[in-house]
Amino acid sequence: MPTTGGIDITALIPTTGPTLFDADGGPVATPPGYPGGDLGLSVIRVGKSAVLTAYPAGAGSDDPFEVLVYTGPSSPPRSLGRAWSVAPAADGDSVWVIRQDAPDTCRLQRVSLAGSESGHGQPASCRTQVRTGTTRGLLITINGGAAESTDALIDPETGRTIQQAPRIFGVAGDRMLLDGLTELTLVDLRDNSRKQLSRPVIARTPTVVPSRDGSVWAVDFANPAYRGTSTQTRDLWLLHPDTLTWEHVAAMPFITEHLKRGGGFDWSEDGDLVLADGVLAAWHPGEPAWRLGKAALPTTVWSGFAVLP
């Protein structure tokens, strides 16, 4: 597709030394003070801000990762200390982390973006992976990275399990999406009622990212080895939880080279689905086509991004 006159999207890209990137003008700034060398960065959006995690590139680490709050294009980050895992809290102004207090002792702790800890936290396994905070609880993966891992929605203040399932794709608003052998299950957390959903395509485990207000969910049935080949495909659909209907995103599916690096998708404050694939592109549900940014994305090693604000 041709580029458009401008899509007004700015994103923080976790290059080594993160890049503040304008979809039409290219790199705006490389904020100072971030670790480099053999460390990689990952980024999550927290409300209208972003939090980055610095981790050793390549092999695993025996030490927790440094967690850094993005403070602007010309200022150094604010450190939140070290943690094994970090996820946005529901208030948009804090994160949940898994802190290590001793060699075999960890805790679940909420930390504001200003750096203050709330309370004393809850005991937790060091292998717990926090995923996202919601108004209905905190979504976690127990024994993250292990074959016997399972997902749970918990009350983070008490540690009580609200829901548990082998695979929870996402939680937003009053609803939770579960995996199944052939179908998906949408759970209404208000009364625990369940609705079965057929997958719109036969595909591997999708990646699910709810919009900022939780009214619609982007579901990517990507395939890194289409029909057993080296061809990568991306196939984005929208799930409308109120009507239990699917909407195929414009121009999907398509062949890509950016499933594992240089790609990702997020939602803007205005309700646009934003995709990184060579350039940044924006699409509002119902539009006939994507609006493409003019500037080429960095070709260095990175994956995922956060739309700001």
Side-chain angles (χ1 to χ4, degrees), residues 62-64 82 84 98-108 123-127:
D62 294 330
D63 298 315
R82 291 185 171 272
W84 282 115
I98 299 294
R99 290 266 202 243
Q100 185 161 17
D101 294 326
D104 297 314
T105 304
C106 287
R107 62 186 156 97
L108 171 65
S125 166
C126 297
R127 296 178 64 186

Side-chain angles (χ1 to χ4, degrees), residues 30-102:
T30 299
Y34 287 83
D38 59 351
L39 292 179
L41 291 175
S42 62
V43 64
I44 58 172
R45 180 172 45 78
V46 180
K48 296 183 180 182
S49 186
V51 170
L52 297 103
T53 302
Y55 59 90
S61 173
D62 294 330
D63 298 315
F65 313 128
E66 187 174 8
V67 180
L68 304 163
V69 178
Y70 170 74
T71 61
S74 58
S75 56
R78 180 184 305 114
S79 177
L80 298 184
R82 291 185 171 272
W84 282 115
S85 181
V86 59
D91 62 4
D93 196 40
S94 60
V95 292
W96 291 100
V97 298
I98 299 294
R99 290 266 202 243
Q100 185 161 17
D101 294 326

Side-chain angles (χ1 to χ4, degrees), residues 176-180 183-187 194-197:
M176 176 174 66
L177 186 65
L178 307 180
D179 193 12
E183 296 183 319
L184 307 178
T185 300
L186 194 65
V187 181
R194 298 177 176 230
K195 299 287 188 179
Q196 300 298 310
L197 290 172

Side-chain angles (χ1 to χ4, degrees), residues 286-303:
E287 288 182 338
W290 289 84
R291 292 168 279 124
L292 305 186
K294 296 179 180 180
L297 286 164
T299 58
T300 54
V301 177
W302 59 274
S303 183

Side-chain angles (χ1 to χ4, degrees), residues 3-13 20-28 274-276 278-282 291-298 305 307-308:
T3 59
T4 65
I7 66 172
D8 194 26
I9 294 291
T10 302
L12 188 64
I13 297 174
L20 187 64
F21 187 86
D22 178 84
D24 300 296
V28 175
V274 181
L275 174 66
V279 298
L280 289 178
R291 292 168 279 124
L292 305 186
K294 296 179 180 180
L297 286 164
F305 63 97
V307 175
L308 299 178

Side-chain angles (χ1 to χ4, degrees), residues 98-173:
I98 299 294
R99 290 266 202 243
Q100 185 161 17
D101 294 326
D104 297 314
T105 304
C106 287
R107 62 186 156 97
L108 171 65
Q109 181 69 57
R110 186 161 68 90
V111 185
S112 77
L113 297 186
S116 60
E117 293 189 349
S118 176
H120 299 291
Q122 292 289 330
S125 166
C126 297
R127 296 178 64 186
T128 297
Q129 178 187 353
V130 289
R131 292 171 52 190
T132 188
T134 76
T135 56
R136 287 286 176 173
L138 175 64
L139 180 59
I140 66 171
T141 294
I142 302 166
N143 292 327
E148 67 275 14
S149 66
T150 187
D151 295 339
L153 183 67
I154 67 168
D155 179 347
E157 303 297 339
T158 65
R160 178 179 65 89
T161 298
I162 300 170
Q163 297 275 351
Q164 186 167 326
R167 186 73 176 106
I168 300 174
F169 286 141
V171 178

